[in-house]
Amino acid sequence: MYIHALAMTTDSAAPKPLAANEGMKSASNFLRGNLKAEIADATTATVSADSEQLTKFHGLYQQDDRDQRVALKRAGKDKAYSFMLRVRLPGGKATPRQWIVLDDLAGRVASPSLRITTRQTFQFHGVLKGDLKKLIKGMHTVLLDSIAACGDVNRNVMAPPNPERSPVLEQVYAHAKAWSEYALPKTRAYHEIWLDEELVAGGEPEHEPMYGGTYLPRKFKTAFALPPSNDVDIFSQDLGFIAVVENGRLAGYNVTVGGGLGMSHGNAETHPRLADVVGFITPDQVNAIGEAVLTTQRDHGDRTNRKHARLKYTIEDKGIAWFKAEVEKRSGITFGGVRPFHFTTIQDPHGWHRNADGTWFYGLHILSGRINDVPGWPMKTALREIARVHTGDFRLTPSQNVTISGVTAAQKPVIDAILAKHGLDKENNRSRLRLNALSCVALPTCGLALAESERWLPDILAKFETVLDEAGLKDDAISLRVTGCPNGCARPYLAEIGFVGKAPGKYALYLGASYNGTRLNRLYAPSLTIDEAIVKLTPIIKRFALERNEGEGFGDWCDRVILPKDATFHSIGTQPVV
Ligand code: SRM
Ligand code: SF4
């Protein structure tokens, strides 16, 4: 137990006790805590409550199989504990060698599926405590780690996934990677605990130049976008860089701050928020501006209430003008005026596309990002076979799909043959609703899930596909996203149709986001079953088919026609220029 310090972490008059995690962080000696000993302790499958919080900074979550909870409790047994590990993979880029090693590790020490996340990386589930070092050391052999994939730090940095498509994309990827490295914690704790690097002599404190000893008040997320694609959902990010291309060259970035989606049902003080666009910077200023945004949040974010600790609330409390001035002061950089930009889509390109350098890439749809072998859908085997012959790389996308990138003309038929052999050549012919859909993991691993998500997505989609088919909208790319709770992991508040888990079998239904991710949706029905939602939405979808304006998307139409004008939802930052 840590004694909570009393501190003035915000500018409010009365000091409030710091959140429990703050004590844990400061006492951890730069993320070491008691982890090494607890991981080595074979008498228990778990770690202590403090270490459970600390493992997040090392990319790990302690979980239990919720499907087994009731039966185990009845039998008087402990929960079926295991760990989830999230890889750090800026821009979602993995080499074929890395793919093969991760695939192999998943088979040997995890569930055995690999899971692509909505932030372009892999998760392993079901890893036993005793296998964690094996997994992390295995990843290390191909230069992969899970440092800062979770925890109160800058998380996996997102970037458009197909860099070879143009030199500008390549530059944007390079900036994303450089910012990811720059904002990594500098502690050697990870190497000592997981890779058996020698302890820092005497265990004296290290220097954490950007974070300090207590890191950030809360998680912090960055993405880079290249219009017209908003595949990374830039307005949901704490920090965003929107590439500005002038005369075919990368002129710089419009910077966005203060996006975030997490909320709690019934707590009006928590809400999704779209980021503000604060101004333009040149490419060489990315890290300096990033550092200024991050340290402003470090010093002014709320460390007393974790439900109010994200950057979006700091900006709401202090005002965007103050925030912008503070970032300019800290960085010594004056923002230029916002340059025009225009987003049209969030959708991944599927199938074959030719890159600017003459190579090809293939966008492969993977429902919910779950890479597994199931009868009739041997995704894991197929991708492993591709990895064995592929000489380019893989890019995980923000929509949980994979891009087989940098394919030579000679290799194209080889990859086609592998996909066809496993019946995956038809995967991209699915409805556009399905190709766009996202779901979070939820049950059985997520400890916060209130309802099913990934496991129900196929059924939900099948029901909506029937309705869309009947309405003549089979080829419409409507975005539908499902989460098992209001935390927003599949970014449901930016979907034209968003289902947010409320209780087993019950969902809040949100409608009316724009297809390009620039407007949040609004609450349409607070709690219904999927079948009730189908009944409610069928006449709406039919009306949309008949009444929409030329080119009007479902979300825009719902916002204009269906949703009450006075039903304002959540505060929204400066409306982006679209
Ligand atoms: Fe998330 C917590 C899964 C993207 C908002 N998220 C969790 C945990 C770790 C549950 C927990 O804390 O015990 C989930 C693990 C489930 C499991 O069994 O694997 C989880 N989040 C995911 C992933 C895997 C969803 C997916 O199906 O792909 C995504 C991993 C991303 C990554 O690679 O880093 C994931 N989470 C997101 C996103 C979307 C994004 O970042 O683009 C959001 C909304 C954006 C945002 O952060 O505002 C998101 N996750 C949350 C929150 C709410 C944060 C908040 O500000 O309120 C939590 C809960 C928390 O932090 O307290 C959470
Ligand atoms: Fe778990 Fe909720 Fe995130 Fe889904 S949205 S993975 S249920 S925390």
Side-chain angles (χ1 to χ4, degrees), residues 422-487:
H422 296 291
L424 295 178
D425 51 338
K426 296 175 193 70
E427 186 56 34
N428 289 337
N429 301 339
R430 310 271 193 172
S431 70
R432 291 187 73 194
L433 179 85
R434 192 171 287 251
L435 293 180
N436 272 342
L438 297 185
S439 77
C440 72
V441 177
L443 293 162
T445 51
C446 178
L448 305 179
L450 304 172
E452 293 279 355
S453 180
E454 180 182 330
R455 294 197 294 197
W456 278 25
L457 186 65
D459 283 353
I460 296 172
L461 290 173
K463 286 176 177 165
F464 274 98
E465 278 166 347
T466 307
V467 176
L468 289 176
D469 223 354
E470 282 167 12
L473 298 174
K474 193 164 158 261
D475 297 325
D476 273 56
I478 294 173
S479 62
L480 181 150
R481 297 176 178 179
V482 187
T483 57
C485 87
N487 281 324

Side-chain angles (χ1 to χ4, degrees), residues 56 61 63 84 86 115-121 123 125 149 155-156 158 218-219 221 232 236-238 259-263 310 312 368 400 439-442 445-448 487-491:
K56 296 182 185 178
Y61 279 78
Q63 303 183 318
M84 175 268 275
R86 195 178 282 165
R115 173 62 156 67
I116 301 178
T117 73
T118 51
R119 294 191 69 77
Q120 301 180 271
T121 187
Q123 280 189 183
H125 289 101
R155 303 278 190 98
N156 200 45
M158 297 171 75
R218 206 57 167 91
K219 55 176 68 166
K221 299 178 172 180
V232 297
S236 70
Q237 312 283 336
D238 294 272
L261 299 183
M263 59 169 262
R310 292 290 294 272
K312 61 182 175 181
S368 297
Q400 305 171 316
S439 77
C440 72
V441 177
T445 51
C446 178
L448 305 179
N487 281 324
C489 298
R491 300 186 287 271

